[in-house]
């Protein structure tokens, strides 16, 4: 289904890139990355993606936050993983030069829509993974906005993978429990 050697190489690169970073829950950042990859691996299996497509999706899942959150660059990913993975990861990276979060999200979605479905799947998996208990400091408005943003992601990228789309739809619905 996918190449284990490629997975190990990519995971080790991501671990090196994210070093001591932590999730909002205080876990090593690798926990988030591997959860996103697990969602993608499951979707690849259920969709019976061929090895090449699965490798692209899984590599992008493991590397999706490298450019955005570390000192590593597009060029580092290109040299180590090739053009397709580098372009995929870049499309999953917010352009922080844009003013608002809404502009960043629209730009990201536009760039993702120009990518293969295998890259788009990663955005769905990332949001699935992020739709857990919201931080205590979030008020109802922030929770609703995050849920609405997830619905926007789903509406734009749902055709990339039926299994991830269904899973994200369920997570969005269950997120209502956090509204006060």
């Amino acid at each position: 289904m996918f190449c284990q050697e490629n997975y190990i190489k990519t995971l080790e690169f991501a671990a090196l890139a994210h070093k001591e970073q932590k999730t909002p829950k205080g876990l090593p950042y690798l926990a988030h990355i591997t959860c996103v990859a697990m969602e993608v691996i499951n979707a690849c299996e259920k969709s019976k993606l061929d090895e090449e497509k699965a490798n692209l999706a899984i590599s992008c899942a493991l590397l999706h936050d490298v450019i955005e959150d570390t000192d590593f660059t597009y060029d580092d990913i290109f040299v180590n993983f090739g053009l397709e993975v580098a372009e995929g990861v870049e499309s999953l990276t917010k352009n922080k030069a844009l003013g608002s979060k809404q502009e960043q999200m629209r730009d990201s979605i536009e760039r993702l829509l120009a990518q293969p479905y295998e890259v788009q799947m990663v955005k769905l998996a990332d949001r699935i993974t992020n739709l857990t208990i919201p931080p205590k400091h979030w008020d109802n408005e922030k929770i609703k906005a995050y849920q609405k943003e997830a619905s926007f992601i789903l509406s734009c990228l749902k055709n990339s993978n039926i299994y991830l789309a269904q899973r994200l739809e369920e997570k969005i619905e269950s997120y209502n429990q956090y509204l006060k």
Side-chain angles (χ1 to χ4, degrees), residues 3-155:
C3 175
Q4 292 92 327
E5 301 310 320
N6 183 68
Y7 181 92
I8 292 165
K9 174 187 174 189
T10 310
L11 179 63
E12 287 175 350
F13 184 93
L16 177 65
H18 289 286
K19 295 179 192 158
E20 301 300 317
Q21 289 177 343
K22 302 284 186 190
T23 68
K25 293 179 182 176
L27 298 171
Y29 202 75
L30 217 49
H32 167 69
I33 291 165
T34 55
C35 284
V36 173
M38 179 269 307
E39 293 286 350
V40 169
I41 290 167
N42 185 52
C44 288
E45 170 69 18
K46 287 184 174 183
S47 303
K48 301 190 182 340
L49 286 187
D50 65 42
E51 185 172 307
E52 185 178 327
K53 290 179 178 180
N55 283 335
L56 173 60
I58 295 164
S59 293
C60 287
L62 290 167
L63 299 170
H64 77 275
D65 281 335
V66 167
I67 296 172
E68 187 171 315
D69 294 341
T70 76
D71 294 332
F72 285 84
T73 66
Y74 171 94
D75 291 341
D76 295 320
I77 294 172
F78 176 80
V79 166
N80 286 279
F81 302 100
L83 179 64
E84 199 172 26
V85 172
E87 287 184 349
V89 174
E90 184 177 56
S91 72
L92 290 157
T93 302
K94 290 184 197 100
N95 180 350
K96 294 179 181 176
L98 296 174
S100 70
K101 291 239 183 220
Q102 291 85 2
E103 289 175 300
Q104 291 175 14
M105 179 58 67
R106 274 194 300 275
D107 173 68
S108 176
I109 293 294
E110 285 175 16
R111 289 183 289 119
L112 280 165
L113 287 170
Q115 290 292 313
Y117 282 154
E118 295 75 39
V119 177
Q120 295 175 25
M121 288 168 56
V122 176
K123 187 67 174 177
L124 296 176
D126 185 36
R127 189 49 61 109
I128 289 165
T129 302
N130 288 336
L131 280 173
T132 60
I133 300 169
K136 290 187 186 337
H137 65 275
W138 283 15
D139 61 14
N140 254 4
E141 289 307 308
K142 175 68 176 167
I143 293 169
K144 284 181 188 175
Y146 199 70
Q147 186 180 41
K148 185 177 179 181
E149 189 177 79
S151 294
F152 175 68
I153 292 166
L154 177 62
S155 72

Side-chain angles (χ1 to χ4, degrees), residues 123 134 151 169 175 178:
K123 187 67 174 177
S151 294
E169 191 170 8
Y175 209 62
Y178 302 115

Side-chain angles (χ1 to χ4, degrees), residues 157-170:
L157 303 177
K158 66 184 172 192
N159 292 332
S160 65
N161 186 275
I162 189 169
Y163 301 102
L164 289 172
Q166 289 171 343
R167 184 133 163 78
L168 181 53
E169 191 170 8
E170 291 165 5

